[in-house]
Every structure is written in structure tokens, then in C-alpha cells.
Amino acid sequence: MVAEQGCIQEPSCKGIYRLLEYCAAEEAVSPLSSDARLECLEAQNSLQHYRPLQVCKCQRGSRREDHCLKVYWTVRFAAYDEYEVSPYEELKLNLVRNIEVSRMASIMAASSVVVDGQNQCLKAAQDCGLYEKCGSLRSEYVVACTKRATATDNSCNRQKCHKALRRFLERVPEEYSFALLFCPCSDTLCGERRRKTIVPSCSFEENARGEERVGKPNCLSLQSYCSRDELCRSRFADFQHNCLPSSLSASGCMRESRAMCLKAYTGLIGTIMTPNYVSNSSTEVSQWCTCEGSGNELQGCQRIQHLFSNNICLRHAISSMGISASPPVEHTPVPVSQPSPRVFQERVHVSVNTLPEFNSE
């Protein structure tokens, strides 16, 4: 926002920036005409000289993240394909590694004290319920994702569900949220709980309408929809930036940080690009979309699918959460458990051990 204010204080920069705001707003509604687009592109080129706006980045989870992202994409209003450049501030590599070591050690330490055969996803849910913030916010998103839109409609309010999911993931420490999302499983019951953690029937699957089952959307349509929303576009760009695979890296990640890849992956949850596990018996993940009917754009569509289903960086990052850990690392505290109040909202009782789902039949 500092760069934006600096531009507005300069008359020459302000006029161009205001025009680009109009361009971005119109483009989000429908494609611009050729003449209008040409004028907008000229304005975009004219703003290249104002470097602060070209290099500014946003902070993840900040109070003004939405406004900052709006500024970032206004300057790049036509750059819908700029997906591999993250709009978020880069963390120094040594800081990333420190975060990775401390966060992963803490999460693994918390999940390592288990009895053989114990459902670790159930344990993660119970641990979350004992920590007031985690239990309360988890109950909040479960209620939002399971409440019917109307008394006669079997579908949910996906927008409210997504907002509550993002709130949970942004406010709950990763020691708890990562344990819920990436808990290691060895049986289908555990895998089912893990897959249902984000309430898939509302968060990304299409519900039945009447007696007709709604099919999966095309992945290209999903990306196109995402590109019109600053937050979704930003989270998708951040995911590609931090989960860029590399066969030459020991971690499988170009940026050598599995923790940052997991953080970027979870950033997609609560957007139209929400991913999830494809079954109860594996750690393979995907989006709720298909490439059927892609025509001559089939390769582009498959590329989107492979970002999740064939990404060595993401696969190694998720698998690393299931590695059997040694006893807790010295000086690495296990998250402190705190009592959590029961949450009742609109006659829907949410247990820490149950994620109610709609019956779509």
C-alpha cells in the first residue's frame, strides 16, 4: 500500500493508476474490447517507470492482504498467465529453513506420541478440540460447510464455507492445522477422516441438483474463474511458485522447502481451486475437475491436473508428514492443550470426532 500511496501523490502516476483500476475492474466482469484493451495496455506500459509499484509484494495473512493483492494485480491487470510469480513477500532462505525445521519438528513431535494402530487423524481432531482456538474455528467452518442454503435445497453456501475454511487456516497454528490436513494413515477409516477434513461435499465437490448428479467442471474453466479473483489468482500463483518441482533437488522442490510448499498448498483451500485427497487409501491429491472436452487445449488442461497429481515436490511434502518421527526434539515443545467450549449454532451440534456431511442421494 506504501507504493500505491506514493503513486497517488504524483499527478502523472495517479492518472495512469486510476485508469488501470478501471481496466482491471472491467476485465474482471468481461473481456475488454480491442480498442479498450489497447488503451489499458498502453497505460500499463506507461506505469513501468514507477518502480515501487512494479516490485511491491504482499504479506500472507495480513489485515489488508485483500487490498494489497488488488493493487498488485491492478498494475498487472492483463497478466492472468503470470502464475509462477508469487505476489507474496519472499522469506530469506535461511529463515525458511529455520521455519521448516522448527515447524516440522513441532508437528511431528506432537504426532509421534501415539499408540500403535491409533487413528492419527482422529487424534489430530481430538487435539484440535482441546485447543480452544482450533476447536472453535474448526466447529465454525464445519457448521458453515454443512448448513443447507435453504430449507428445500440440499446444497450448501460454498462462499461462506470457503471464507470459514480460510479463517481457520489463517488463524490456527500449523501444529494443529497441518496435523489435521496431512495426518499419516494406514487404513481407510483414517483416510476417510483425512479426506473429509475440509468437508469436500461443500468445499469443492458439486452437489446433486434434484435427481441429477452434477459432473466435474473442466479444469481450464476452473482456472479461468480463479484468474478473475485476486485472492484465488494469488494463492494459485504462490502454490506454483513454492511447489515448483525439481528432479535435481533432494526435497523434490526447486526452492528446497517442503514446509513452504505445504503452506502454499493449504493457501488454496477455501478458494475455487480447493484441492483434496482423491481417495481414502492414498495421499494422492487432485482438484475437482476433468479434462474431458478440452479439445485442442488438452495439454494446458492436463498441466493444471499434473500440478497436483504429478508433482514430486508436493508429493514429497505431503509424504514427509507421515514419516515416523523419533521422540520429540529437545527444546521443541508439544502444543499445549487447552479446554475448548462446545459450540452450538443453529441447532447443529459439531463434535470434534464427527464431520457431518450432506446426503447427496
Side-chain angles (χ1 to χ4, degrees):
M1 274 77 77
V2 175
E4 180 191 33
Q5 290 302 315
C7 174
I8 291 175
Q9 291 174 7
E10 294 184 18
S12 60
C13 185
K14 179 180 178 180
I16 299 173
Y17 181 72
R18 293 305 187 200
L19 175 57
L20 282 177
E21 283 186 314
Y22 173 81
C23 295
E26 290 297 306
E27 184 76 1
V29 176
S30 62
L32 295 168
S33 67
S34 57
D35 291 342
R37 172 168 289 274
L38 180 59
E39 184 178 355
C40 291
L41 289 174
E42 289 176 351
Q44 190 175 37
N45 291 332
S46 298
L47 206 59
Q48 293 291 326
H49 74 279
Y50 192 76
R51 185 159 180 75
L53 276 177
Q54 304 300 324
V55 300
C56 65
K57 296 280 187 174
C58 300
Q59 290 183 341
R60 297 174 183 84
S62 65
R63 289 188 301 109
R64 304 199 67 188
E65 178 185 357
D66 288 346
H67 181 73
C68 183
L69 292 175
K70 183 178 180 180
V71 174
Y72 180 90
W73 291 110
T74 292
V75 179
R76 300 163 178 79
F77 90 97
Y80 291 124
D81 296 328
E82 197 173 321
Y83 280 122
E84 295 182 8
V85 179
S86 175
Y88 295 106
E89 291 180 349
E90 288 277 3
L91 296 176
K92 293 182 179 179
L93 188 58
N94 60 342
L95 178 59
V96 169
R97 286 174 175 165
N98 287 339
I99 292 174
E100 182 163 17
V101 170
S102 63
R103 285 291 192 191
M104 289 300 195
S106 182
I107 296 167
M108 293 308 299
S111 64
S112 63
V113 187
V114 295
V115 179
D116 289 342
Q118 181 175 359
N119 184 326
Q120 292 200 39
C121 290
L122 174 59
K123 179 181 182 298
Q126 292 171 335
D127 290 344
C128 173
L130 291 173
Y131 174 42
E132 186 171 2
K133 177 181 285 187
C134 186
S136 177
L137 289 175
R138 180 168 178 261
S139 296
E140 181 181 298
Y141 84 68
V142 171
V143 168
C145 296
T146 54
K147 179 184 175 183
R148 294 188 178 191
T150 65
T152 58
D153 190 351
N154 201 37
S155 64
C156 67
N157 187 320
R158 184 169 295 175
Q159 186 176 6
K160 288 185 177 180
C161 174
H162 281 171
K163 184 176 180 180
L165 276 168
R166 294 197 304 269
R167 177 180 163 89
F168 172 83
L169 293 170
E170 289 166 1
R171 299 193 179 189
V172 171
E174 288 158 6
E175 287 87 345
Y176 294 97
S177 62
F178 276 24
L180 279 169
L181 293 168
F182 307 113
C183 42
C185 289
S186 57
D187 59 74
T188 56
L189 286 178
C190 179
E192 182 178 13
R193 169 168 290 278
R194 180 175 58 188
R195 188 181 64 82
K196 291 184 177 179
T197 293
I198 61 168
V199 198
S201 62
C202 181
S203 62
F204 76 110
E205 292 180 2
E206 291 290 340
N207 291 316
R209 295 175 182 172
E211 298 182 355
E212 182 181 355
R213 185 75 181 177
V214 178
K216 295 181 180 180
N218 186 277
C219 297
L220 292 170
S221 299
L222 211 63
Q223 177 180 294
S224 177
Y225 187 95
C226 178
S227 71
R228 305 292 171 178
D229 178 81
E230 282 101 355
L231 180 65
C232 183
R233 192 188 326 163
S234 301
R235 298 292 176 86
F236 190 37
D238 191 53
F239 167 72
Q240 293 197 67
H241 179 79
N242 285 296
C243 293
L244 188 65
S246 171
S247 58
L248 302 178
S249 168
S251 65
C253 303
M254 179 69 73
R255 307 193 189 283
E256 296 286 7
S257 176
R258 293 175 181 175
M260 291 303 295
C261 177
L262 290 181
K263 189 172 181 65
Y265 173 84
T266 56
L268 283 172
I269 298 174
T271 72
I272 194 66
M273 300 290 277
T274 297
N276 201 359
Y277 298 98
V278 299
S279 72
N280 300 331
S281 57
S282 75
T283 56
E284 183 182 352
V285 297
S286 181
Q287 291 177 308
W288 186 257
C289 65
T290 179
C291 283
E292 293 181 8
S294 296
N296 58 7
E297 295 184 277
L298 178 61
Q299 288 187 337
C301 183
Q302 290 176 334
R303 175 184 173 276
I304 299 172
Q305 285 186 323
H306 292 166
L307 287 171
F308 299 88
S309 62
N310 193 29
N311 186 326
I312 188 174
C313 174
L314 179 60
R315 185 168 67 249
H316 284 184
I318 294 176
S319 297
S320 69
M321 295 296 295
I323 297 174
S324 298
S326 55
V329 179
E330 188 177 359
H331 305 309
T332 303
V334 176
V336 178
S337 296
Q338 300 180 26
S340 175
R342 291 184 179 180
V343 177
F344 291 87
Q345 183 173 339
E346 301 202 13
R347 297 182 300 173
V348 179
H349 172 60
V350 181
S351 165
V352 295
N353 299 327
T354 305
L355 283 179
E357 295 248 313
F358 281 152
N359 181 2
S360 59
E361 298 179 353

